Amino acid sequence: MNTFEWMNVTTVAEAVNALKSVPAPSDMDDAARPIAGGQDILTTMKEYITRPTRVVNLKGIRGLDKIESDGKGGLRIGALVTLNQLEESPLVRRNFPGLTEAAHSIGTPQIRNLGTVGGNLCQRPRCWYFRLEEVVCLKKGGTECYAATGENKYHAIFGGGPSYIVHPSDLAPMLLALGASVSVMGADGKRAIALDKFFTLPADGNVRRENVLKNEDIITGVLVPASKFAAHSTYLKFKERDSMDFAMSAVAAAVTLDASKTVSEARIVLGGVAPVPWRVPKAEAALVGKTISTDLLTNVAKVALEGAEPLARNAYKVPLTQTLVRRALARVGGLA
Ligand SMILES: Cc1cc2nc3c(=O)[nH]c(=O)nc-3n(C[C@H](O)[C@H](O)[C@H](O)COP(=O)(O)OP(=O)(O)OC[C@H]3O[C@@H](n4cnc5c(N)ncnc54)[C@H](O)[C@@H]3O)c2cc1C
Ligand code: SF4
């Protein structure tokens, strides 16, 4: 790990200033960074993946560690809320069960005790080439994606190229399904970014970034609006090690059913299969106006995986994800 300056701050404005006042380095991974729970950033610093000269500690900022109702049935979740707090919140459990499940699916109780919501959304990818200090792949400023032709068992089947990472956050697919946005404070003040505009595909912008945040931007919280489908939401995740692991595939699903059990609204977002949480609008449309049945779910699952482009070692993700889609929808549709 390189030497760095540690800076404690007590307000969001101070944090933004502390990040902004470090001159932009020639390599973006040398830029000053905020730290929350520290679980991901310290690992990347130890492996020289990120090399900030200044680390700004957000934990002294008051008021960002609360989960509150917005008074209209929605939620305001502070960026410093821990994953454990989210998992254990009765308010979340009652009205947004899929979010409780997503939080519960993350790591171990120790990881959830330290990890924060803001840090979870901004954690870096788990690609093993990226995480190896010695390998300088495209995402680290090199010229080649080693996963494209190498060991790509855990990589993307949608939206890949030129990097084939999958987004590691379990909260992200569920929050996207729930229509959430992040509140951000930057050099020009506050702004809200809908989650479907927050994450970026490698081909869309800078291959070295995973989201639209600027260096000095601080996430202050996540807003989850009230919706009819939030109460019928679920998060299903498949991991290789049952004890704790990142998703090989996951599905965030939510539906609104009318009195005759017909689906009037549906949200389906796939996790662990693309560089961003991957919404499948065609599959959602295939559900709307129909009554949930086994045959319908088989068809919707097929539609959800249309267009998948597996790499040499990850074709298993197609049937695996289809199964998760069927099971998640059966659960929220009352079939399971
Ligand atoms: C063994 C292990 C298993 C794990 N398993 C899972 C899993 O199954 N599913 C899953 O989703 N995650 C998993 N994680 C990831 C873990 O949940 C994240 O590392 C954690 O949530 C990051 O939160 P943090 O507060 O520690 O972030 P930090 O490490 O402090 O920060 C992570 C990144 O976010 C940035 N950041 C932090 N807060 C803010 C903010 N408010 N505004 C702007 N940028 C910010 C930092 O600069 C840094 O780039 C696992 C981690 C470990 C170590
Ligand atoms: S998938 Fe992305 S992070 Fe992994 S080797 Fe390829 S470019 Fe690097």
Side-chain angles (χ1 to χ4, degrees):
M1 187 188 276
N2 287 347
T3 51
F4 60 90
E5 177 192 8
W6 177 270
M7 224 167 142
N8 290 316
V9 293
T10 53
T11 66
V12 178
E14 263 184 78
V16 172
N17 281 333
L19 293 169
K20 204 177 61 174
S21 56
V22 176
S26 56
D27 189 292
M28 54 179 288
D29 282 327
D30 294 341
R33 293 298 310 151
I35 186 169
Q39 291 197 81
D40 191 47
I41 191 166
L42 291 176
T43 316
T44 59
M45 287 169 69
K46 282 182 194 164
E47 304 291 341
Y48 298 94
I49 297 166
T50 53
R51 300 158 302 270
T53 47
R54 175 179 286 177
V55 174
V56 178
N57 176 20
L58 305 180
K59 288 290 234 182
I61 303 176
R62 288 243 186 114
L64 297 188
D65 58 351
K66 293 188 173 55
I67 303 173
E68 295 169 321
S69 162
D70 67 358
K72 294 180 276 185
L75 284 179
R76 273 197 292 261
I77 305 168
L80 293 176
V81 163
T82 64
L83 303 169
N84 183 46
Q85 251 178 293
L86 190 63
E87 178 191 1
E88 296 197 342
S89 159
L91 180 64
V92 177
R93 190 179 300 268
R94 193 166 53 244
N95 301 325
F96 303 85
L99 197 48
T100 303
E101 291 167 7
H104 177 71
S105 80
I106 295 170
T108 60
Q110 291 88 340
I111 288 161
R112 299 196 291 275
N113 264 331
L114 261 185
T116 63
V117 168
N120 186 266
L121 294 177
C122 296
Q123 60 177 305
R124 306 301 309 274
R126 304 304 305 182
C127 171
W128 37 31
Y129 296 108
F130 178 73
R131 294 272 165 175
L132 258 188
E133 184 187 333
E134 297 77 15
V135 178
V136 184
C137 70
L138 208 52
K139 209 172 207 344
K140 294 201 284 197
T143 54
E144 200 177 328
C145 169
Y146 297 101
T149 51
E151 290 297 335
N152 47 42
K153 175 177 173 184
Y154 299 112
H155 290 75
I157 58 171
F158 286 110
S163 162
Y164 290 85
I165 59 152
V166 294
H167 202 276
S169 164
D170 282 304
L171 294 186
M174 195 68 243
L175 287 170
L176 177 60
L178 293 170
S181 56
V182 289
S183 312
V184 174
M185 173 77 100
D188 300 322
K190 291 181 193 166
R191 66 194 196 276
I193 309 171
L195 266 195
D196 60 359
K197 305 265 184 311
F198 180 75
F199 298 107
T200 50
L201 282 172
D204 279 354
N206 186 340
V207 69
R208 299 188 61 192
R209 286 195 181 273
E210 293 87 48
N211 58 52
V212 298
L213 288 183
K214 299 186 186 131
N215 280 345
E216 67 277 12
D217 282 342
I218 298 288
I219 296 180
T220 54
V222 177
L223 303 175
V224 190
S227 65
K228 286 190 183 151
F229 50 77
H232 302 279
S233 58
T234 195
Y235 187 71
L236 276 194
K237 166 176 172 183
F238 185 86
K239 40 192 179 176
E240 202 163 36
R241 281 175 304 179
D242 217 21
S243 53
M244 79 154 179
D245 222 333
F246 289 87
M248 291 175 97
S249 170
V251 175
V255 295
T256 308
L257 299 172
D258 67 19
S260 58
K261 298 266 177 206
T262 303
V263 179
S264 58
E265 265 180 309
R267 294 289 175 98
I268 309 170
V269 181
L270 310 180
V273 293
V276 298
W278 193 257
R279 191 168 171 191
V280 281
K282 237 176 121 183
E284 294 171 358
L287 261 183
V288 172
K290 315 237 172 64
T291 307
I292 297 217
S293 67
T294 310
D295 286 348
L296 175 66
L297 296 192
T298 303
N299 181 48
V300 170
K302 267 195 205 141
V303 175
L305 272 293
E306 273 175 11
E309 293 181 305
L311 299 163
R313 295 171 197 270
N314 66 7
Y316 73 90
K317 287 197 177 192
V318 173
L320 171 62
T321 311
Q322 285 173 336
T323 302
L324 292 180
V325 170
R326 277 200 311 273
R327 288 186 185 169
L329 292 173
R331 186 185 282 180
V332 290
L335 264 196

